[in-house]
Every structure is written in C-alpha cells, then in structure tokens.
mmCIF file of all heavy atoms in Angstrom:
data_model
loop_
_atom_site.group_PDB
_atom_site.id
_atom_site.type_symbol
_atom_site.label_atom_id
_atom_site.label_comp_id
_atom_site.label_asym_id
_atom_site.label_seq_id
_atom_site.Cartn_x
_atom_site.Cartn_y
_atom_site.Cartn_z
ATOM 1 N N ALA A 1 -121.504 -59.636 24.411
ATOM 2 C CA ALA A 1 -122.884 -59.649 23.913
ATOM 3 C C ALA A 1 -122.901 -58.980 22.540
ATOM 4 O O ALA A 1 -122.602 -57.797 22.409
ATOM 5 C CB ALA A 1 -123.790 -58.903 24.876
ATOM 6 N N ILE A 2 -123.250 -59.756 21.511
ATOM 7 C CA ILE A 2 -123.183 -59.292 20.122
ATOM 8 C C ILE A 2 -124.532 -59.540 19.439
ATOM 9 O O ILE A 2 -125.201 -60.551 19.703
ATOM 10 C CB ILE A 2 -122.074 -60.030 19.337
ATOM 11 C CG1 ILE A 2 -120.718 -59.865 20.044
ATOM 12 C CG2 ILE A 2 -121.996 -59.541 17.898
ATOM 13 C CD1 ILE A 2 -120.198 -58.441 20.104
ATOM 14 N N ALA A 3 -124.888 -58.653 18.552
ATOM 15 C CA ALA A 3 -126.146 -58.817 17.817
ATOM 16 C C ALA A 3 -126.084 -60.041 16.913
ATOM 17 O O ALA A 3 -125.052 -60.353 16.318
ATOM 18 C CB ALA A 3 -126.420 -57.568 16.980
ATOM 19 N N VAL A 4 -127.212 -60.739 16.822
ATOM 20 C CA VAL A 4 -127.317 -61.927 15.971
ATOM 21 C C VAL A 4 -127.843 -61.524 14.599
ATOM 22 O O VAL A 4 -128.809 -60.761 14.488
ATOM 23 C CB VAL A 4 -128.253 -62.979 16.601
ATOM 24 C CG1 VAL A 4 -128.445 -64.164 15.664
ATOM 25 C CG2 VAL A 4 -127.693 -63.433 17.943
ATOM 26 N N ARG A 5 -127.157 -62.048 13.575
ATOM 27 C CA ARG A 5 -127.619 -61.836 12.205
ATOM 28 C C ARG A 5 -127.789 -63.204 11.568
ATOM 29 O O ARG A 5 -126.810 -63.896 11.297
ATOM 30 C CB ARG A 5 -126.620 -60.997 11.407
ATOM 31 C CG ARG A 5 -126.551 -59.556 11.869
ATOM 32 C CD ARG A 5 -125.598 -58.746 11.024
ATOM 33 N NE ARG A 5 -125.565 -57.348 11.452
ATOM 34 C CZ ARG A 5 -124.741 -56.435 10.945
ATOM 35 N NH1 ARG A 5 -123.875 -56.790 10.000
ATOM 36 N NH2 ARG A 5 -124.776 -55.190 11.381
ATOM 37 N N GLY A 6 -129.014 -63.587 11.344
ATOM 38 C CA GLY A 6 -129.267 -64.927 10.810
ATOM 39 C C GLY A 6 -128.976 -65.957 11.876
ATOM 40 O O GLY A 6 -129.488 -65.903 12.993
ATOM 41 N N MET A 7 -128.074 -66.905 11.557
ATOM 42 C CA MET A 7 -127.732 -67.964 12.502
ATOM 43 C C MET A 7 -126.442 -67.666 13.261
ATOM 44 O O MET A 7 -126.090 -68.366 14.195
ATOM 45 C CB MET A 7 -127.586 -69.296 11.747
ATOM 46 C CG MET A 7 -128.875 -69.791 11.123
ATOM 47 S SD MET A 7 -130.125 -70.189 12.378
ATOM 48 C CE MET A 7 -129.374 -71.621 13.138
ATOM 49 N N THR A 8 -125.696 -66.617 12.816
ATOM 50 C CA THR A 8 -124.420 -66.306 13.459
ATOM 51 C C THR A 8 -124.432 -64.861 13.989
ATOM 52 O O THR A 8 -125.462 -64.207 13.994
ATOM 53 C CB THR A 8 -123.254 -66.498 12.464
ATOM 54 O OG1 THR A 8 -123.488 -65.691 11.305
ATOM 55 C CG2 THR A 8 -123.145 -67.962 12.042
ATOM 56 N N LEU A 9 -123.259 -64.403 14.413
ATOM 57 C CA LEU A 9 -123.151 -63.104 15.067
ATOM 58 C C LEU A 9 -122.653 -62.016 14.122
ATOM 59 O O LEU A 9 -121.960 -62.301 13.143
ATOM 60 C CB LEU A 9 -122.185 -63.218 16.256
ATOM 61 C CG LEU A 9 -122.637 -64.206 17.339
ATOM 62 C CD1 LEU A 9 -121.460 -64.606 18.208
ATOM 63 C CD2 LEU A 9 -123.727 -63.593 18.194
ATOM 64 N N ALA A 10 -123.003 -60.786 14.454
ATOM 65 C CA ALA A 10 -122.550 -59.651 13.655
ATOM 66 C C ALA A 10 -121.039 -59.498 13.779
ATOM 67 O O ALA A 10 -120.417 -59.919 14.763
ATOM 68 C CB ALA A 10 -123.248 -58.376 14.130
ATOM 69 N N HIS A 11 -120.442 -58.876 12.763
ATOM 70 C CA HIS A 11 -118.996 -58.661 12.731
ATOM 71 C C HIS A 11 -118.555 -57.821 13.936
ATOM 72 O O HIS A 11 -119.165 -56.814 14.259
ATOM 73 C CB HIS A 11 -118.636 -57.928 11.434
ATOM 74 C CG HIS A 11 -117.165 -57.789 11.228
ATOM 75 N ND1 HIS A 11 -116.410 -58.711 10.554
ATOM 76 C CD2 HIS A 11 -116.304 -56.816 11.627
ATOM 77 C CE1 HIS A 11 -115.155 -58.317 10.531
ATOM 78 N NE2 HIS A 11 -115.068 -57.172 11.171
ATOM 79 N N HIS A 12 -117.465 -58.245 14.597
ATOM 80 C CA HIS A 12 -116.921 -57.484 15.712
ATOM 81 C C HIS A 12 -115.460 -57.848 15.909
ATOM 82 O O HIS A 12 -114.976 -58.850 15.404
ATOM 83 C CB HIS A 12 -117.712 -57.761 17.000
ATOM 84 C CG HIS A 12 -117.728 -59.201 17.404
ATOM 85 N ND1 HIS A 12 -118.528 -60.151 16.785
ATOM 86 C CD2 HIS A 12 -117.058 -59.858 18.376
ATOM 87 C CE1 HIS A 12 -118.343 -61.328 17.348
ATOM 88 N NE2 HIS A 12 -117.453 -61.182 18.319
ATOM 89 N N GLY A 13 -114.717 -56.991 16.642
ATOM 90 C CA GLY A 13 -113.294 -57.215 16.862
ATOM 91 C C GLY A 13 -113.041 -58.236 17.951
ATOM 92 O O GLY A 13 -113.949 -58.698 18.633
ATOM 93 N N TYR A 14 -111.763 -58.572 18.127
ATOM 94 C CA TYR A 14 -111.393 -59.618 19.079
ATOM 95 C C TYR A 14 -110.014 -59.318 19.652
ATOM 96 O O TYR A 14 -109.108 -58.912 18.925
ATOM 97 C CB TYR A 14 -111.352 -60.971 18.363
ATOM 98 C CG TYR A 14 -110.909 -62.131 19.237
ATOM 99 C CD1 TYR A 14 -111.717 -62.584 20.267
ATOM 100 C CD2 TYR A 14 -109.693 -62.762 19.019
ATOM 101 C CE1 TYR A 14 -111.323 -63.644 21.062
ATOM 102 C CE2 TYR A 14 -109.286 -63.831 19.813
ATOM 103 C CZ TYR A 14 -110.112 -64.272 20.825
ATOM 104 O OH TYR A 14 -109.720 -65.316 21.617
ATOM 105 N N GLU A 15 -109.858 -59.488 20.971
ATOM 106 C CA GLU A 15 -108.561 -59.315 21.601
ATOM 107 C C GLU A 15 -107.894 -60.667 21.726
ATOM 108 O O GLU A 15 -108.366 -61.551 22.430
ATOM 109 C CB GLU A 15 -108.709 -58.671 22.981
ATOM 110 C CG GLU A 15 -107.383 -58.273 23.590
ATOM 111 C CD GLU A 15 -107.560 -57.417 24.820
ATOM 112 O OE1 GLU A 15 -107.897 -56.230 24.685
ATOM 113 O OE2 GLU A 15 -107.362 -57.954 25.922
ATOM 114 N N ARG A 16 -106.772 -60.831 21.024
ATOM 115 C CA ARG A 16 -106.127 -62.134 20.957
ATOM 116 C C ARG A 16 -105.549 -62.548 22.304
ATOM 117 O O ARG A 16 -104.882 -61.748 22.951
ATOM 118 C CB ARG A 16 -105.002 -62.109 19.912
ATOM 119 C CG ARG A 16 -105.461 -61.844 18.509
ATOM 120 C CD ARG A 16 -104.383 -62.202 17.504
ATOM 121 N NE ARG A 16 -103.190 -61.419 17.693
ATOM 122 C CZ ARG A 16 -102.906 -60.318 17.003
ATOM 123 N NH1 ARG A 16 -103.768 -59.849 16.123
ATOM 124 N NH2 ARG A 16 -101.788 -59.658 17.204
ATOM 125 N N PRO A 17 -105.745 -63.803 22.716
ATOM 126 C CA PRO A 17 -105.155 -64.268 23.976
ATOM 127 C C PRO A 17 -103.636 -64.204 23.893
ATOM 128 O O PRO A 17 -103.045 -64.565 22.892
ATOM 129 C CB PRO A 17 -105.629 -65.724 24.082
ATOM 130 C CG PRO A 17 -106.820 -65.802 23.194
ATOM 131 C CD PRO A 17 -106.572 -64.831 22.079
ATOM 132 N N GLY A 18 -103.005 -63.726 24.961
ATOM 133 C CA GLY A 18 -101.559 -63.787 25.036
ATOM 134 C C GLY A 18 -100.842 -62.543 24.594
ATOM 135 O O GLY A 18 -99.672 -62.373 24.880
ATOM 136 N N ASP A 19 -101.484 -61.627 23.851
ATOM 137 C CA ASP A 19 -100.756 -60.431 23.463
ATOM 138 C C ASP A 19 -101.564 -59.155 23.609
ATOM 139 O O ASP A 19 -101.030 -58.067 23.583
ATOM 140 C CB ASP A 19 -100.222 -60.528 22.029
ATOM 141 C CG ASP A 19 -101.288 -60.812 20.998
ATOM 142 O OD1 ASP A 19 -102.458 -60.474 21.253
ATOM 143 O OD2 ASP A 19 -100.958 -61.344 19.938
ATOM 144 N N GLY A 20 -102.886 -59.275 23.772
ATOM 145 C CA GLY A 20 -103.679 -58.111 24.103
ATOM 146 C C GLY A 20 -104.063 -57.201 22.952
ATOM 147 O O GLY A 20 -104.770 -56.231 23.162
ATOM 148 N N TRP A 21 -103.610 -57.509 21.723
ATOM 149 C CA TRP A 21 -103.919 -56.630 20.605
ATOM 150 C C TRP A 21 -105.260 -56.971 19.980
ATOM 151 O O TRP A 21 -105.636 -58.124 19.860
ATOM 152 C CB TRP A 21 -102.832 -56.707 19.533
ATOM 153 C CG TRP A 21 -101.566 -56.062 19.953
ATOM 154 C CD1 TRP A 21 -100.384 -56.681 20.245
ATOM 155 C CD2 TRP A 21 -101.328 -54.672 20.151
ATOM 156 N NE1 TRP A 21 -99.442 -55.770 20.619
ATOM 157 C CE2 TRP A 21 -99.987 -54.523 20.563
ATOM 158 C CE3 TRP A 21 -102.124 -53.531 20.027
ATOM 159 C CZ2 TRP A 21 -99.428 -53.290 20.846
ATOM 160 C CZ3 TRP A 21 -101.562 -52.302 20.308
ATOM 161 C CH2 TRP A 21 -100.226 -52.193 20.703
ATOM 162 N N GLN A 22 -105.954 -55.936 19.569
ATOM 163 C CA GLN A 22 -107.247 -56.119 18.914
ATOM 164 C C GLN A 22 -107.055 -56.513 17.450
ATOM 165 O O GLN A 22 -106.223 -55.966 16.754
ATOM 166 C CB GLN A 22 -108.047 -54.813 18.964
ATOM 167 C CG GLN A 22 -108.662 -54.509 20.312
ATOM 168 C CD GLN A 22 -109.889 -55.334 20.585
ATOM 169 O OE1 GLN A 22 -110.056 -55.842 21.672
ATOM 170 N NE2 GLN A 22 -110.749 -55.479 19.626
ATOM 171 N N THR A 23 -107.837 -57.461 16.988
ATOM 172 C CA THR A 23 -107.869 -57.791 15.570
ATOM 173 C C THR A 23 -109.147 -57.205 14.993
ATOM 174 O O THR A 23 -110.069 -56.848 15.714
ATOM 175 C CB THR A 23 -107.872 -59.316 15.340
ATOM 176 O OG1 THR A 23 -109.089 -59.861 15.862
ATOM 177 C CG2 THR A 23 -106.700 -59.979 16.034
ATOM 178 N N ALA A 24 -109.185 -57.114 13.675
ATOM 179 C CA ALA A 24 -110.340 -56.502 13.026
ATOM 180 C C ALA A 24 -111.568 -57.387 13.108
ATOM 181 O O ALA A 24 -112.691 -56.903 13.049
ATOM 182 C CB ALA A 24 -110.008 -56.196 11.570
ATOM 183 N N SER A 25 -111.363 -58.690 13.219
ATOM 184 C CA SER A 25 -112.501 -59.599 13.172
ATOM 185 C C SER A 25 -112.358 -60.722 14.185
ATOM 186 O O SER A 25 -111.323 -61.377 14.256
ATOM 187 C CB SER A 25 -112.627 -60.191 11.762
ATOM 188 O OG SER A 25 -113.721 -61.074 11.694
#
C-alpha cells in the first residue's frame, strides 16, 4: 500500500524476486 501522487505512486523500495535484496526504487 503506497501513497498516490498524481496518476502514479510515490517513490518506494522493492525486493527483487529471486534474490531477496532491496533496491532503491
């Protein structure tokens, strides 16, 4: 659940499938 800014979502991190590491965006 992420805040909406305009038509898209606010900046947030992401855990990549398959390796578990967080990315910055």
